[in-house]
Amino acid sequence: MTTETTAPSRYAHQLITRVRAADAARPWLWDGALTLGWTTAALVDAAGGWRNVARDPSLPAALVVALSLALSLPLYARRRRPTTVLAVMAGAAFVSEASGAFLQAAFLQVFPLFHIALSRPPRRLLWAFALLAAPLLTGALRFDGDAWDLHVVPALWAYLIVALIGITVRSRRDHTAGLVDRARRLEVERDQEVRLAAAAERARIAREMHDIIGHNLSVITGLADGGRYAAARNPERAAQALDAIGTTSRQALDELRRLLGVLSAPDDDTPAAARAPQPTLEDLEPLLEGVRKAGLPVTAELPSPLPSLPPGAQLTVYRVVQESLTNTLKHAGPGARATVRVATAPDAVRVTVTDTGTPSAAPGQGQGLTGMRERAALYDGTLDSGPLPHGGGWQVRLRIPTTTAPAPAPAPAPEESHP
C-alpha cells in the first residue's frame, strides 16, 4: 500500500521538477504559451459568451475585443513587471465594469497579483488590492445596487486566497534558499576545519621531527668530532664515541619509527611503536648524559621527587630542555657549559636552561624557539628566551602550570631562532 500511495506523488514531484527546469531554461516559452492560451480563451468569450453575465449586452464588439486583449496580452510581462501589468489590466477592468460588460477575463488579474505577492515587498499588496477593488465597487454600485456585496466580496476573497498562496510559495522558497545557503556555509566551514586540522597536524609533525632529528644529529655530530680527534691519541675513547653514536642513532630511529607508525597506521590498528611511552621527566637524566657524551658539560639541578605533571606537559618540558641543549651544541661555540634547573612551586613548574658560550655571529634559520613556544602554549605555559644580561650566553625560561589541560593549538608564530 505504501508503494501504491507514494508512486503518484513521486511521479507528480518529478513532473513538477521537469516543468520548473524547462521554465528556468526557457522562461519566454512558458510565458508565451500561457499568454497565448488565455488570450485565445478571452477572445472566445468576446465572440458572444460575455453577454451571459454582462449588465449591458448591447456594447459594441470592438470594445469587448479591445478590453479582452487588454486583460490578456499583458500577462507576458507579469513576472518581470507585475505591478505595471496589474495597473494596465485594472484599467481595462475598470472600463469593463463601468460599461456593464463585466468580462470574465478580469479574473486574469490573479496572475500579476500572485507574482506581486511572490516577489515584491508586502506593502505592494495594499496597492494591488486597491487597484482590484476599485473596478469591482464601480460596477457593483452602478448596476447591482443593494446587492453590490454579492459581486464584490467573492471576488475579493478569491484575490486574497491567491495572494496568500503567493506568500506561502515565497516563504517556502526563501526557507529552501536559506537551507541551501546554510548547507553551503556548513560545507565551507567543514572544509576550513579540515584544512586547519591538517595544518595543525603538519605543524605538530614538523615540530616532533625537528626535535628528534635536530637533537640527535647534533649529538652525533659532537660525538663524531670528538672521536676523530681521539682516534690518533686514544683509540679506546674513539671506540666509546662510536658506541655512543650507534646508541644515539638507534634511539633516533626508534623515535622516528614511532612517529611514522602513528601516521601510517589506521585508527583501529595502532602499532606497538605508537603505544611506546613518550619521554617524561624521568628521561631527563639519560638526555643530559647523551649531551655530555657529545662534549657539552651540563650541570643539572633536578628536584627529588620530580614534579607531577600530565604526560603531555612532561613531554613539553623534555622537548624544551632537549631543544635548548641542541641549540647550545650548535651555536654556543667551543668551551661552552650549560645548566639545567627544574624548580617546583605550588602552582607551576619552572625550567631554566642557561649556557655560557659565545653566541655565533650568524643566527640560525631553524624553528626551535617557535616550536618550544607552541608546545608551552598547548599547556597554558609561557616561554621566554634571550641573551644573558651580563653578556655571553643564552637563557631559556619555561613555566608550566601544575594543573592544566591541553589548550587548542595556537596559530603558527613568526619564525625565530637561537642566535
Side-chain angles (χ1 to χ4, degrees), residues 219-232 234 237-238 241-242 245 293-295:
V219 172
I220 290 172
T221 301
L223 290 171
D225 291 341
R228 180 167 59 87
Y229 287 113
N234 192 341
R237 292 292 300 273
L242 291 175
I245 289 174
K293 291 181 180 179

Side-chain angles (χ1 to χ4, degrees), residues 40-167:
T40 302
L43 292 177
V44 169
D45 183 64
W50 65 277
R51 291 187 176 87
N52 296 328
V53 295
R55 302 299 188 269
D56 186 3
S58 63
L59 292 174
L63 176 63
V64 175
V65 171
L67 292 175
S68 298
L69 293 176
L71 288 169
S72 57
L73 288 179
L75 290 178
Y76 186 78
R78 74 193 186 284
R79 286 196 281 195
R80 297 185 298 276
R81 298 180 178 84
T83 306
T84 303
V85 169
L86 181 62
V88 172
M89 297 176 70
F94 183 84
V95 175
S96 172
E97 296 284 334
S99 62
F102 279 42
L103 295 178
Q104 298 183 72
F107 284 102
L108 294 179
Q109 295 175 103
V110 297
F111 288 101
L113 175 64
F114 173 81
H115 285 282
I116 290 175
L118 184 65
S119 60
R120 295 299 184 268
R123 63 178 179 273
R124 292 281 184 90
L125 288 173
L126 298 177
W127 294 101
F129 273 95
L131 291 173
L132 293 169
L136 292 173
L137 290 172
T138 300
L141 293 177
R142 181 176 180 183
F143 293 101
D144 293 337
D146 295 338
W148 64 272
D149 55 320
L150 297 178
H151 179 65
V152 175
V153 175
L156 290 180
W157 271 112
Y159 293 144
L160 179 61
I161 291 173
V162 171
L164 291 177
I165 293 174
I167 294 173

